[in-house]
Amino acid sequence: MPDLLAARSQMAMSLGFHIIFAMVGIAMPVLMVVAERRWQRTGDRIYLDLAHRWAKGTAILFAVGAVSGTVLSFELGLLWPTFMEHAGPVIGMPFSLEGFAFFTEAVFLGVYLYGWDRISRRAHLAAGWAVAVSGMLSGVFVVIASAWMNAPTGIRWVDGRAADIDPIAAMLNPAALPQVLHMTLAAYASTGLVVAGIHAWPLLRHPRNAFHRRALSVALLIGAPAALLQPLSGDLSAKFVAHWQPVKLAAMEGHFKTERGAPLRIGGWPDETAGETRYAIEIPYALSVLAFADPRAEVKGLEAFPREHWPPVAIVHVAFQVMVGLGSYLALVGAAALWLMWRRHDLSRHRWLLRALVLAAPMGFICTEAGWTVTEVGRQPWIIHGLMRTADAVTPMPGLVVPFLVFTALYCALGVAVAWLLYQQVLRSPQAAEEDPA
Amino acid sequence: MTGIGPAELVAGIALVALTAYVLLGGADFGGGVWDLLASGPRKREQRALIAEAIGPIWEANHVWLILVIVVLFTCFPVAFARLTIGLHIPLSLMLIGIVLRGSAFTFRSHYGHGGEHGDSSMSAHWGRIFAIASVGTPVTLGLCVSALAAGTLGPPGRAGFHASYVAPWLTPFGVGVGLLTLALFAFLAAVYLTVEAREPALREDFRRRALGAAAAVFVAAFGTLGLALLGAPLMGRGLTGAPWAPALHLATGAAAVAAIWALWSRRFRLARLAAAAQVSLILWGWALAQYPYLIPPDLAIRAAAAPRITLVLSLWVLGLGALVLFPSLIYLFRVFKPR
């Protein structure tokens, strides 16, 4: 395995692993806190039990997220020292801010998890909110840094070196807002819906189980609105890409020829050598409308760019289709659930909705992985869009396949362990009181 | 090279953060060491006390390391790049240790102890991984520090895998620093645990362990100094020849003697203070010995520093961040460490 490929694989694997735990770390505290708040308001002990159990799961996932995040902060240098040498002073700011947000998160998670009997109820709930807010901010700051790689503002590139750097302008890069919105919503949608799916499963057999009914309602309260809003933020992201990274848009859409009134391609397989995307369903004018809000707008095709600036087209296109397809399903399920909740229906009587939620459970995470594939693979061959090539940023250390395999094995083992622990936790659900039919 | 500018200021803050990591995060690793070495009639109680002491705070303590790394790559990017290239292997090993320690500890604390769903064999299995990783990680941290101290991380571009990626840190001096780090972390943990133990017998267990660790620190420190004079002349000269050296050694020695005396006479809180002072002084001795170099022999703090605007903004962020951080940390420790 060539060193560059090994380094990219290790980075992709580490990010792909960490992102799951990071998302859960952002959204799970909100679920926990909502459950605890309901217990404090209603005195219903089942909500307290729920908060306890969710807190346990969060503790495990947060710890794995924290240590895998540490690995990433080192890997920035272990794998891409040349990138960090030039980019560090420009995008270090959001990482420093993230450091403090993460500090706050870790402090108050400790208070929350171990402080049930040590502090007042009010202080305990406040600690939970502190975890939720600082967790969200951690994610925001890291995504800002990542967005800068797509839209490197606040830097001038002179003779292969950074000059006139402006860290504030770098933080305010045009990719920051769309990426931050899209990722933050993804965290709430994916986590909310995976929890909803996990609790919908036992409800199929025991529709009156009070524990799972309450869990489902809290999880949907967070997950469903986020899933419904996600297509809007996705549109914002797509418009950013159309303007700033037209070659990435062309790859996402499998769009080879520059044309006015470009069609939107659904599915299909892009053939780089033939320069066309086969077997796709084409919706006339739709791409021009979505990208530039004008059916006659010209959309640049891949052919408008030098071949060496193309990202791997098939990977980017397929990942994009997966994200949009599954994301649309999640938005629909979220909309249906919200409608029924609005009309005060008993969700557990709608078996089709429970089934749809069980099916949706893993989809948020798959969407997120696919979305990051679009963002990161779609940026290739650049590590800093238009300024530095990934190949020029990699460490001179040889034999990178070894750390790649070692960390892959480590994370596989860790993933299995976490899945097993959580499975046991969920499987042995409480035989909570059956509720009387409302 | 004269005067204190923003670069020196940021480097000073990084040293303070590193000190906090060693005093707090280091002690958490030390706790793992005593988990591995738990013995005698109160083996279970020893382990339970360690878990109780580490549980609520280890994640916050761990963030000090992340802060050091972020400051390093933001404000001293050239140094960060050189460190991560030359120390790729020991840093990767350290990361594996960090991952295993943190995850195994959490898995054990939330599903262990034979509780509701506790599976005691699984719990023991995670505990073993936690303890072994707690021993290995400090050694790899020490190996990394030794390469800095010895000045073996020259500019990249030398020939050969061994010369570039192994020789800088795999030295007798490096092993000495690794063992010294381990001994220091274990020492800190044992001293802290004497304060946190509520039962007299358990307190005595950790008092004996603290005294043993103090002896190990003594041996490792002098052994490492000897190895420095032989194999790391830069550090050796700095530690023995500099004008401030006698005063520093005197202060470190005084703190060490005070810690041992306080342990001996069962003044445990005083022992905690003296032990923390002793370890901090050892760390600062290293930093002073290589000042003004960030990576001896050639990369000075100022030469490695990022542009001024980054340094100034970082100082602002660190200052504002401290306003949030310190009240939060004080609250955390007041809730869980009332003594």
Side-chain angles (χ1 to χ4, degrees), chain A residues 34-79:
Chain A
V34 170
E36 186 181 358
R37 172 100 182 108
R38 288 193 177 177
W39 163 62
Q40 291 189 358
R41 277 178 59 171
T42 64
D44 182 346
R45 303 275 310 174
I46 299 177
Y47 280 119
L48 178 63
D49 188 22
L50 197 55
H52 273 297
R53 280 162 182 271
W54 278 346
K56 256 189 165 187
T58 305
I60 291 167
L61 295 161
F62 182 86
V64 177
V67 292
S68 61
T70 308
V71 172
L72 278 170
S73 66
F74 278 86
E75 278 176 345
L76 288 173
L78 291 173
L79 300 174

Side-chain angles (χ1 to χ4, degrees), chain B:
Chain B
M1 210 57 77
T2 51
I4 299 288
E8 286 79 10
L9 222 53
V10 176
I13 293 174
L15 179 63
V16 170
L18 188 64
T19 309
Y21 179 64
V22 166
L23 293 183
L24 299 166
D28 294 339
F29 282 103
V33 175
W34 297 121
D35 184 289
L36 189 70
L37 299 179
S39 60
R42 285 169 299 277
K43 198 168 166 175
R44 256 182 99 87
E45 288 81 358
Q46 289 167 10
R47 288 197 167 132
L49 177 68
I50 292 162
E52 187 196 337
I54 298 178
I57 55 165
W58 75 268
E59 273 165 315
N61 294 343
H62 173 73
V63 188
W64 287 108
L65 177 67
I66 299 181
L67 194 65
V68 173
I69 288 304
V70 169
V71 168
L72 195 63
F73 73 54
T74 307
C75 298
F76 305 100
V78 185
F80 180 68
R82 201 195 277 184
L83 285 178
T84 46
I85 292 171
L87 297 177
H88 189 114
I89 297 169
L91 284 175
S92 295
L93 293 173
M94 185 178 91
L95 288 171
I96 294 169
I98 286 174
V99 168
L100 288 176
R101 191 280 301 237
S103 344
F105 177 74
T106 309
F107 295 169
R108 188 188 67 171
S109 16
H110 289 274
Y111 286 87
H113 302 315
E116 197 184 346
H117 311 309
D119 174 340
S120 60
S121 73
M122 276 300 265
S123 169
H125 174 69
W126 293 125
R128 187 53 63 93
I129 294 180
F130 154 68
I132 291 172
S134 296
V135 173
T137 311
V139 176
T140 55
L141 178 65
L143 286 171
C144 294
V145 167
S146 79
L148 266 176
T152 44
L153 282 173
R158 284 155 302 164
F161 182 82
H162 186 268
S164 303
Y165 300 105
V166 180
W169 51 274
L170 197 57
T171 58
F173 174 64
V175 174
V177 177
L179 293 176
L180 175 61
T181 312
L182 180 65
L184 286 172
F185 287 4
F187 173 59
L188 284 174
V191 175
Y192 295 175
L193 287 165
T194 60
V195 181
E196 300 196 19
R198 283 177 293 269
E199 286 170 50
L202 200 54
R203 185 173 296 150
E204 284 302 308
D205 283 353
F206 284 108
R207 174 174 170 267
R208 278 196 303 279
R209 283 165 172 72
L211 286 167
V217 167
F218 184 82
V219 171
F222 277 91
T224 308
L225 186 65
L227 289 168
L229 289 168
L230 290 173
L234 272 173
M235 186 53 37
R237 268 206 305 280
L239 284 175
T240 51
W244 46 263
L248 183 92
H249 292 313
L250 212 63
T252 314
V257 170
I260 291 172
W261 173 77
L263 281 170
W264 193 260
S265 56
R266 299 190 169 78
R267 292 174 167 84
F268 294 116
R269 278 199 232 187
L270 183 67
R272 180 167 68 177
L273 197 69
Q278 178 193 349
V279 174
S280 305
L281 285 167
I282 291 175
L283 201 61
W284 297 343
W286 156 51
L288 270 175
Q290 68 170 58
Y291 184 82
Y293 292 101
L294 200 54
I295 304 185
D298 63 314
L299 196 57
I301 290 174
R302 213 163 271 195
R308 193 182 164 81
I309 183 171
T310 302
L311 300 176
V312 172
L313 282 170
S314 293
L315 284 171
W316 274 103
V317 170
L318 291 167
L320 293 174
L323 289 182
V324 179
L325 174 63
F326 284 111
S328 311
L329 281 177
I330 289 169
Y331 180 64
L332 178 74
F333 280 85
R334 282 180 73 144
V335 170
F336 294 105
K337 308 278 169 193
R339 296 200 269 177

Side-chain angles (χ1 to χ4, degrees), chain A residues 96-106 130 133-135 137-139 141:
Chain A
S96 310
L97 291 165
E98 191 266 348
F100 285 104
F102 182 45
F103 240 133
T104 313
E105 197 181 353
V133 171
S134 52
L137 285 176
S138 293
F141 289 129

